[in-house]
Amino acid sequence: MTAFRLDIRRAASLAETAKALADVLPAYAHVFPADTAAPILVKPNLNANMNALTGNTTDLRLLCALLGHLRDAGYSDVTVGEGTNSGFYRNKIGVIGRLMVDKAAARFGCPVVDLNHVPGKPVAFENGVTAMVAAPVADAALVINLPKLKTHFEAGMSVCLKNLMGCLVGQENKKKTHQSLAANIVNLNLAVRPGLHIVDALIAMEGLGPTRGTPLRLDTLIFGENPYLIDLACARMAGFPPEKVRPLAEARRRGLVTPEMDAFCDGLSLPLLAGRPLAPPVAGRIASFIHSPARQKYFLAVRNTALFRYLAGTDWFGALLFKTGLRQDVFCREEMRCDGLTLDRAACDDCGVCRDFCPSGLDPADVAAMGGHPDCLGCLYCFLTCPRKALAFHGEQGFLAEQLRQYDALVRTLGRPGR
């Protein structure tokens, strides 16, 4: 039997995440460049401006812990790169800035590149189609993939394989993937081949992912080199039928998922939800009808017309698409402005949730008392997770108001481990 390796670690704070990396990554030393000046590209999942607490995007605790680890190991050319999804790209909304990823990377001296706006290199897709993958990805000595574990209404689940769609340049190339979604996701993985994958299951998502599902606190990181094995293992551990994960099913058809992998995953003893499967991504009747594999090509043909693109840019039609489930995101153009947080000492019971969720390892009570801190990213993880609402936000909520509308009550329950 072929030898496989998969490392699963628990982590519930920045310190525990950093320790998990320090404990596990030496076993993967062979994937790291011997030359510490060689370019490394870190690819998070920044699908939308809903932050990691919703289960949508890569957790800043993982990103900061990894960038710190790479800095301490002496790597001097580390770039964070992501091409956020087409709707935000089309509406000229800067997801990277809204998620504070640029501020997080700057703390470690790392640039952040929007892969939608860089030169590309050709990748062969189905039916003779050529797409362009971002040159910083193709040219990196090592690509480290940081996917989020979440369900996905088109792909079934989004883990390592699906996350590479963000390596494509701009909306035009991402649209090409959808012409044969599962097959082209596999084609992209065969072309890019990240050397290391670290799955962010600190807070995962079930239900109607990738944006409208339910967050689940799992406090888990999954490390490995083989994306097919990892995605298969994640499906098994999540109680999700692997055959329902479309890229995984396509990979099996091509022989990239083998019986030996099945046997390896059969031996995994860590069901992520203690035996309860993730809720499947069941869309509404209209979205399910249109997005079925047999009909999606017709929807794509309509969606790519000039008239549809014009209508999709209007608020009223966008609201209709969201209501029917054909669109998962709300494209808020108003930016957030945080003038600071204040702490209600009477409401605070010192539960420590805010400290556990801070990507900078700070005590938000001290930050609020001091009126700020140079290492505070302004991500608002502390404000959003406080179960007693002891932290008060001052400023303009802007786009954050939509996240609060959909997720405020759910996110404030994340302080209970194992929910």
Side-chain angles (χ1 to χ4, degrees):
M1 180 183 294
T2 304
F4 296 115
R5 184 182 182 103
L6 202 65
D7 290 274
I8 303 169
R9 291 293 185 274
R10 307 294 297 208
S13 66
L14 174 69
E16 291 180 8
T17 300
K19 185 177 186 306
L21 295 178
D23 290 345
V24 172
L25 291 185
Y28 296 91
H30 57 281
V31 308
F32 286 87
D35 180 3
T36 56
I40 294 177
L41 190 288
V42 175
K43 166 62 176 74
N45 184 319
L46 309 180
N47 171 66
N49 60 203
M50 296 282 188
N51 67 32
L53 303 175
T54 68
N56 189 342
T57 49
T58 299
D59 202 300
L60 290 175
R61 292 174 293 175
L62 174 57
L63 181 63
C64 288
L66 177 61
L67 295 180
H69 182 92
L70 294 172
R71 177 198 59 192
D72 295 344
Y75 289 100
S76 58
D77 187 359
V78 178
T79 299
V80 178
E82 167 69 313
T84 54
N85 85 26
S86 299
F88 291 93
Y89 168 83
R90 184 178 61 247
N91 284 278
K92 297 181 172 59
I93 293 173
V95 168
I96 290 170
R98 287 186 173 185
L99 295 176
M100 306 300 170
V101 170
D102 50 351
K103 289 187 177 181
R107 282 189 54 210
F108 301 93
C110 300
V112 181
V113 176
D114 186 339
L115 301 179
N116 285 312
H117 303 286
V118 297
K121 295 194 173 183
V123 172
F125 275 5
E126 297 296 289
N127 303 315
V129 173
T130 299
M132 303 300 286
V133 68
V137 176
D139 294 340
L142 171 64
V143 175
I144 302 177
N145 190 20
L146 301 182
K148 193 77 167 178
L149 175 63
K150 55 188 175 181
T151 50
H152 193 285
F153 79 104
E154 287 182 292
M157 284 187 72
S158 176
V159 200
C160 299
L161 298 174
K162 176 70 171 59
N163 193 43
L164 291 198
M165 279 186 64
C167 295
L168 294 166
V169 178
Q171 184 179 9
E172 290 304 312
N173 288 289
K174 290 180 175 63
K175 285 194 300 186
K176 292 176 181 179
T177 313
H178 287 275
Q179 294 173 14
S180 299
L181 182 63
N184 285 331
I185 287 174
V186 174
N187 293 335
L188 185 56
N189 277 266
L190 291 171
V192 173
R193 296 182 182 270
L196 179 65
H197 306 263
I198 308 174
V199 179
D200 172 13
L202 298 174
I203 301 168
M205 177 181 281
E206 67 174 345
L208 189 54
T211 306
R212 295 176 70 175
T214 301
L216 293 165
R217 179 174 175 177
L218 301 181
D219 294 341
T220 300
L221 298 169
I222 303 164
F223 301 76
E225 297 174 62
N226 186 318
Y228 311 103
L229 175 67
I230 298 170
D231 281 21
L232 178 63
C234 285
R236 292 287 187 86
M237 290 189 294
F240 200 93
E243 64 273 13
K244 298 290 187 181
V245 183
R246 291 172 60 191
L248 203 53
E250 172 64 16
R252 185 182 295 278
R253 188 186 70 79
R254 299 190 193 187
L256 297 167
V257 175
T258 65
E260 289 82 5
M261 292 182 186
D262 291 318
F264 176 86
C265 291
D266 286 342
L268 294 176
S269 59
L270 181 64
L272 291 174
L273 295 175
R276 179 177 78 77
L278 264 69
V282 179
R285 284 181 295 178
I286 296 175
S288 297
F289 178 82
I290 290 177
H291 283 296
S292 68
R295 301 180 185 89
Q296 191 178 44
K297 62 181 179 180
Y298 302 110
F299 172 67
L300 291 173
V302 172
R303 190 175 71 175
N304 292 334
T305 63
L307 176 60
F308 189 93
R309 289 198 299 270
Y310 167 76
L311 291 172
T314 65
D315 291 339
W316 70 270
F317 194 70
L320 178 63
L321 292 175
F322 183 82
K323 187 174 181 179
T324 60
L326 291 173
R327 172 182 287 178
Q328 288 222 333
D329 301 291
V330 176
F331 303 120
C332 302
R333 294 175 178 82
E334 296 78 16
E335 296 298 331
M336 180 192 72
R337 191 192 79 248
C338 180
D339 297 330
L341 301 173
T342 55
L343 176 67
D344 181 348
R345 293 282 181 184
C348 177
D349 63 358
D350 197 32
C351 66
V353 169
C354 60
R355 294 190 291 273
D356 285 345
F357 281 90
C358 179
S360 296
L362 303 173
D363 186 333
D366 292 341
V367 174
M370 293 185 297
H373 188 283
D375 288 338
C376 176
L377 301 177
C379 65
L380 300 179
Y381 283 19
C382 57
F383 163 72
L384 294 165
T385 57
C386 179
R388 297 177 64 86
K389 298 187 177 182
L391 288 164
F393 173 92
H394 302 283
E396 296 291 335
Q397 291 182 354
F399 67 87
L400 183 66
E402 180 61 26
Q403 177 169 325
L404 291 171
R405 184 187 73 80
Q406 293 190 49
Y407 283 102
D408 187 46
L410 287 169
V411 167
R412 291 189 188 278
T413 68
L414 294 175
R416 300 199 303 270
R419 65 175 285 272

